[in-house]
Amino acid sequence: MSRDIEAGASRVRFRATGFNPRANPLAAWGSFVVVIALWQLGSSTGFISELAMPSPVAVASALWKLIISGDLWRHLSASLQRLFGGWIIGTVAGLAVGFLVGMFSWARSPGVAMVSALFPIPKIALLPLFIIWFGIGEPSKFATIAFGVFFPTVINTFGGVDNVARNLIRMGQSFDMPMMSIVRKIILPGALPTILSGFRISSSIAIILLIAAEMIGAQYGIGAFILAAGNLYQTDQLIAGVVVLSLLGLCVSWLLGRLDRWLLAWR
Amino acid sequence: MGSGGFVCDFKVMDFAMRLHINGICHSYDQVEALRDIEFGIEPGEIVALIGPSGCGKSTLLSIIGGLLKPTSGKVLMCDQATPDGCLNPLTYVFQDFALLPWRTVAGNISLVLEDHPLGKAEREARIAEVLAQTNLADFAGAYPKQLSGGMKQRVGIARALAVRPAVLLMDEPLSALDAQTRILLLDEFAALFVRTGMTAVYVTHNLNEAVRLAHRVVALRRRPGTIKAIHSIDIPIDQRVEGMPELVAHQNALWDLIRDEAIAADKELDHVA
């Protein structure tokens, strides 16, 4: 009987394949290994000239020298202070303004107008002005980073506040919750996912501005170090500095990931 | 009566307040949603608001609880007496539950108590009490996303009971639930109303819910929303049983009342609310 059915029948083909990428940590690390191995191979065989692109081994030894001489810490600590100081100032100010713009009609239109006009300016263009205002030292670098971080934070914060479900706010009002309680217990946690994803954008902007500001005028800092190495054609040191930047970026994004998991555990 | 059902210790009948809806008119921009709505809600009475979509029944409920400002008219609370320990006389139960996803079941109930001068012990006692009343005691630490729709609405009820309301304002509380859960919760609502003698305004588009729960059914007409009829059902709620002939007769009478409106609403292209 079943043979009768199968005779002359064609089987239904499974069609829903693909479009479902999966994570594979092994492949992630493997890709680094492959690229570095190929790079080393190219350098060892002379295919890649040492002047144009130092070999991974040369970069590693340059990095090692930086570590044991203590130069790395001097540059890195100067950079980290600027990065965190500037980012915190910009973020706190951005959150405050973002909440005002998100919640009050009087702040809404002026806030959006100012942000729209100032956000597209590459903040590094304002560094000379900040140097005139605050001097060549640290404050002008803090100001550049803070200013660059401020605008995306404002935009994200008020976007997050806008996206808090209106029915939850109405619920709070229907139980006569005071305004500060509604802000603290409903709006802030509701906007937090958007705010935290904004931190990823603002932290990478902060790193870009940090390097740019340090390249324009700083004695210490990763940016200054990379610029100096480039001027002397010390490409192994230059690449070592770039590697440090990459690691810095990875650390920041790992920290933000932890923050996400800690604050948004309810998701 | 009722299977399962909420267990409730306090009886609010003696303290319940009287509400008077006084000449309410409301317009959204150019569209007139409600016109000259006038009726009273007696203490201990369940009033159902029914009508086709767009007739303004949810708008009216928002106005009754002070969540929407009517274009004209007012809602009066007569007899200011409220139940013992009442923190929020007019308390809503929402169609979409309106639970905070980042708070546990107990946290969601705690939310509406935290801004009142209650001691920690009293707050926890109230939370435990309403969780027990709604059979949620085992779910105190669960997050809303872990709960079924019916459980979420039970949390909504528990949260409302925690503030010891004088009047419950229920906005299609069963509309987001599946049919089986709806039957279960309908029984629990009936048991709750019977045991507490709670006053409630119950908005629904489901006539079966209206005839099971309400002492009076206010049928609204649409464009503009006006009262078409007020239909009394004089069978005590605890004697009403699913499918009993008297209830079916009431339900058919209500359907005859709003059928034409429903057909017109169905053919409408652009809904207002």
Side-chain angles (χ1 to χ4, degrees):
Chain A
M1 180 67 194
S2 76
R3 188 166 298 167
D4 290 348
I5 292 173
E6 283 193 22
S10 66
R11 185 172 173 174
V12 174
R13 186 170 49 86
F14 176 60
R15 292 175 289 180
T17 53
F19 303 106
N20 186 21
R22 254 169 271 167
N24 181 352
L26 208 67
W29 289 105
S31 62
F32 280 114
V33 173
V34 169
V35 167
I36 291 170
L38 284 176
W39 174 11
Q40 182 63 48
L41 189 73
S43 296
S44 307
T45 55
F47 183 72
I48 302 172
S49 124
E50 186 70 16
L51 189 66
M53 191 71 174
S55 72
V57 172
V59 171
S61 87
L63 200 54
W64 178 246
K65 276 181 205 148
L66 274 176
I67 291 171
I68 52 172
S69 71
D71 281 349
L72 181 69
W73 308 122
R74 203 177 309 145
H75 292 299
L76 199 57
S77 66
S79 287
L80 286 178
Q81 276 172 29
R82 290 167 190 147
L83 186 66
F84 284 112
W87 185 82
I88 298 261
I89 296 168
T91 296
V92 169
L95 285 174
V97 173
F99 267 93
L100 293 180
V101 171
M103 286 172 38
F104 299 105
S105 304
W106 60 263
R108 187 54 168 239
S109 297
V112 172
M114 292 307 287
V115 169
S116 309
L118 297 177
F119 182 47
I121 302 173
K123 302 304 170 298
I124 201 68
L126 296 175
L127 182 62
L129 191 64
F130 291 145
I131 291 175
I132 294 171
W133 290 352
F134 302 115
I136 189 80
E138 296 303 299
S140 60
K141 296 178 187 64
F142 281 130
T144 310
I145 296 170
F147 210 60
V149 165
F150 174 76
F151 292 100
T153 307
V154 171
I155 290 173
N156 249 288
T157 306
F158 88 72
V161 171
D162 277 356
N163 277 333
V164 176
R166 294 294 109 176
N167 65 326
L168 295 183
I169 296 172
R170 265 169 65 96
M171 182 275 293
Q173 291 175 322
S174 82
F175 281 94
D176 267 341
M177 283 172 70
M179 185 176 152
M180 272 324 289
S181 278
I182 293 180
V183 171
R184 203 159 51 83
K185 295 171 185 172
I186 299 178
I187 296 180
L188 179 63
L192 205 55
T194 318
I195 292 174
L196 287 181
S197 72
F199 281 3
R200 291 184 182 275
I201 299 170
S202 69
S203 63
S204 54
I205 290 177
I207 294 177
I208 294 170
L209 288 174
L210 166 76
I211 301 308
E214 287 178 343
M215 283 182 160
I216 288 178
Q219 197 177 358
Y220 294 110
I222 302 293
F225 170 77
I226 291 174
L227 188 72
N231 287 342
L232 299 170
Y233 291 96
Q234 291 169 334
T235 48
D236 54 345
Q237 300 216 3
L238 192 153
I239 301 288
V242 171
V243 168
V244 171
L245 280 182
S246 168
L247 293 175
L248 178 66
L250 285 175
C251 280
V252 168
S253 102
W254 178 80
L255 280 174
L256 289 175
R258 295 300 302 229
L259 195 67
D260 258 28
R261 240 179 300 164
W262 174 54
L263 288 174
L264 304 179
W266 53 271
R267 296 218 291 190
Chain B
M1 75 141 274
S3 53
F6 301 117
V7 192
C8 211
D9 302 329
F10 64 100
K11 197 153 174 84
V12 292
M13 176 101 77
D14 311 334
F15 315 97
M17 65 168 63
R18 199 171 164 278
L19 276 182
H20 198 83
I21 287 85
N22 203 335
I24 294 286
C25 299
H26 189 70
S27 303
Y28 293 104
D29 297 327
Q30 298 302 314
V31 184
E32 195 177 6
L34 292 171
R35 181 192 289 171
D36 295 332
I37 302 290
E38 180 107 25
F39 65 95
I41 298 157
E42 300 301 323
E45 186 182 41
I46 315 294
V47 172
L49 294 179
I50 62 163
S53 62
C55 72
K57 52 192 190 296
S58 289
T59 304
L60 181 56
L61 194 73
S62 295
I63 291 171
I64 293 174
L67 288 184
L68 192 70
K69 200 172 174 183
T71 312
S72 68
K74 53 189 179 279
V75 178
L76 299 172
M77 294 194 274
C78 321
D79 317 328
Q80 288 289 342
T82 52
D84 234 10
C86 173
L87 302 174
N88 191 43
L90 304 180
T91 298
Y92 281 90
V93 174
F94 297 92
Q95 178 179 358
D96 52 14
F97 324 125
L99 302 176
L100 302 185
W102 50 86
R103 283 188 176 230
T104 60
V105 168
N108 266 287
I109 298 166
S110 169
L111 176 83
V112 299
L113 301 175
E114 285 163 11
D115 291 303
H116 295 282
L118 297 176
K120 192 167 186 285
E122 193 187 346
R123 196 164 68 216
E124 279 169 6
R126 278 201 187 202
I127 294 171
E129 179 191 311
V130 296
L131 286 178
Q133 282 169 23
T134 49
N135 302 320
L136 283 169
D138 295 338
F139 298 90
Y143 283 90
K145 69 166 181 185
Q146 299 172 287
L147 301 176
S148 67
M151 280 298 178
K152 284 181 192 159
Q153 193 54 289
R154 286 185 181 94
V155 180
I157 299 284
R159 181 178 61 190
L161 294 178
V163 295
R164 310 248 167 98
V167 181
L168 269 187
L169 303 173
M170 306 175 87
D171 187 7
E172 306 207 23
L174 301 180
S175 292
L177 306 176
D178 64 70
Q180 289 90 336
T181 313
R182 223 183 265 200
I183 295 170
L184 291 175
L185 271 168
L186 193 52
D187 287 341
E188 293 181 27
F189 285 173
L192 173 79
F193 292 149
V194 167
R195 280 175 213 241
T196 60
M198 190 85 76
T199 311
V201 182
Y202 190 103
V203 167
T204 182
H205 59 252
N206 185 319
L207 301 182
N208 179 39
E209 290 169 24
V211 298
R212 275 295 301 284
L213 296 176
H215 297 106
R216 280 192 301 156
V217 180
V218 176
L220 295 179
R221 163 192 298 130
R222 53 199 290 285
R223 297 295 162 79
T226 48
I227 295 179
K228 184 158 188 177
I230 297 182
H231 186 94
S232 294
I233 302 175
D234 42 17
I235 312 164
I237 292 174
D238 55 355
Q239 289 171 21
R240 297 181 192 179
V241 183
E242 187 66 46
M244 69 192 269
E246 294 92 326
L247 282 191
V248 173
H250 279 294
Q251 191 172 335
N252 289 339
L254 287 173
W255 177 233
D256 287 342
L257 213 52
I258 64 165
R259 187 164 181 275
D260 296 341
E261 301 285 335
I263 291 171
D266 188 42
K267 287 181 178 158
E268 188 91 10
L269 283 175
D270 177 37
H271 289 263
V272 195

